[in-house]
Amino acid sequence: AREVIGLKARWKKMYLGFCSGANLNSLARVVEGDQGLGHGKRTICKARADDDSRSSRIARKVVAFGTWGSLVSYATFFKPSSLLDTSPVVEELLKNPLLPDMNPIYYAIFLFIPSYVLLFAATLLPAWRIQKWPTSAFLALATAIGSGALLPYLGLRNYTTRPDPDFTKGKESFMENRWIAASLIAAGVGLYANAFGLFDGRMEMVDFIFIARWMDYANQFRIDPLVHFSSIDFVVLWLSFIDPLVEDMRRRRMFTGDPQDYLTVALIMTVPFLGPCFYLLTRPEADTFGPRELKTADEE
């Protein structure tokens, strides 16, 4: 009996040591059952709440502030000489702000930029209580200047996968509403369809319409400062969403590091805006966990 007890203790110590060595905060729980080493009990290793190594924090700050500094330097010192001093698109927006005569491709990009702030809000607000910097203030500022406000915040914030027990009680939990995600999907599909020319009523001419619009957009990107910099800002917002996405998936036990998890992230990020919106529509609630939360010592 002593040998069996000693063997069980050694296995448990080795298992918890493995978890802590993988930068996890080992939390041993005993769950009643009929499997495992403990005659009807099993030991469960739970991921550390704020599992973020020092190297990961440094890399995250370098990428965020490096990208932000590169954008500021490009806009200040290295902007193309082909750009006009004034933007024709701005003049059109001032004349007709509700229905401006704009290129449909850029019109979609123009509306996607503030809409991306809602996607960031849905993934960043669940952890706002442990942040030193005000999340809502940076999000509000991002609606005006886009990645110029979000990139510094992504570099300053603390990465955490801890579920917030008070999140569902706060006002910020409105972003968990699936009707918001469904509305964003409907708006995104409409903007994509308009950009591809599906609303023009000539389906056999869709490819020619899109090519013509793309060429016009490329020309505007070359000469119009608003189109140029806001398009770059859209790409930066699109790619910057990867880190909050993975963090939110870990928080909801949807990402455990398996190859299929990386494939899921790649599929979500493939289609700008619509992919993250579908994720918001299908993700589990903030206070629930996925089926892969628990792993027994025998499986490890």
Side-chain angles (χ1 to χ4, degrees):
R2 291 195 187 96
E3 291 179 357
V4 172
I5 294 175
L7 179 62
K8 288 165 52 181
R10 286 194 297 273
W11 271 102
K12 182 176 179 180
K13 184 177 180 180
M14 290 173 58
Y15 178 57
L16 296 180
F18 164 79
C19 294
S20 61
N23 194 27
L24 299 175
N25 183 20
S26 302
L27 175 62
R29 292 192 305 177
V30 177
V31 179
E32 297 296 333
D34 54 3
Q35 295 181 356
L37 297 175
H39 294 288
K41 299 180 180 181
R42 60 179 178 174
T43 303
I44 298 171
C45 179
K46 195 173 183 180
R48 179 181 169 187
D50 52 349
D51 48 343
D52 193 19
S53 64
R54 179 180 177 84
S55 59
S56 299
R57 289 194 298 269
I58 295 176
R60 190 172 289 109
K61 293 180 184 296
V62 169
V63 172
F65 285 107
T67 305
W68 181 80
S70 300
L71 291 176
V72 174
S73 300
Y74 176 76
T76 306
F77 304 107
F78 303 105
K79 61 182 180 181
S81 58
S82 59
L83 294 179
L84 302 174
D85 294 332
T86 59
S87 172
V89 174
V90 172
E91 297 176 357
E92 178 62 28
L93 287 172
L94 294 176
K95 293 179 182 178
N96 191 3
L98 297 180
L99 294 173
D101 185 14
M102 299 169 56
N103 182 288
I105 296 178
Y106 177 68
Y107 185 66
I109 293 174
F110 182 78
L111 295 181
F112 280 155
I113 292 176
S115 300
Y116 250 103
V117 177
L118 294 177
L119 303 181
F120 278 95
T123 52
L124 295 178
L125 285 178
W128 74 271
R129 286 183 175 85
I130 67 168
Q131 304 298 330
K132 298 179 180 179
W133 303 89
T135 305
S136 56
F138 281 92
L139 290 173
L141 189 60
T143 58
I145 60 176
S147 60
L150 276 175
L151 285 176
Y153 177 71
L154 294 179
L156 292 171
R157 69 186 299 269
N158 295 321
Y159 184 93
T160 178
T161 59
R162 174 175 35 213
D164 187 353
D166 297 326
F167 171 69
T168 55
K169 303 176 184 178
K171 297 179 180 180
E172 70 279 0
S173 62
F174 77 96
M175 289 305 302
E176 299 287 317
N177 194 322
R178 300 188 187 278
W179 284 106
I180 295 179
S183 301
L184 291 175
I185 291 175
V189 170
L191 290 173
Y192 268 100
N194 184 46
F196 279 91
L198 299 180
F199 293 154
D200 290 349
R202 294 172 294 179
M203 296 301 297
E204 68 279 2
M205 300 291 292
V206 167
D207 52 347
F208 297 101
I209 294 174
F210 178 73
I211 292 175
R213 289 178 175 178
W214 180 261
M215 294 177 63
D216 178 64
Y217 167 73
N219 182 63
Q220 292 187 21
F221 180 83
R222 185 178 61 86
I223 63 175
D224 193 300
L226 179 63
V227 176
H228 185 87
F229 291 113
S230 58
S231 298
I232 295 176
D233 186 54
F234 169 72
V235 174
V236 173
L237 288 174
W238 169 35
L239 298 179
S240 299
F241 189 71
I242 296 178
D243 194 52
L245 170 65
V246 174
E247 178 186 2
D248 192 70
M249 292 177 68
R250 288 183 183 274
R251 185 181 301 117
R252 299 166 194 272
R253 304 300 187 264
M254 297 177 63
F255 189 99
T256 59
D258 295 336
Q260 64 183 13
D261 297 332
Y262 291 98
L263 179 60
T264 301
V265 173
L267 292 175
I268 293 173
M269 296 297 299
T270 298
V271 183
F273 188 73
L274 282 182
C277 287
F278 275 107
Y279 165 73
L280 297 185
L281 184 66
T282 58
R283 65 179 180 175
E285 296 181 358
D287 56 347
T288 60
F289 304 104
R292 288 178 292 171
E293 175 192 8
L294 305 181
K295 289 187 177 182
T296 65
D298 302 286
E299 292 171 341
E300 291 295 337

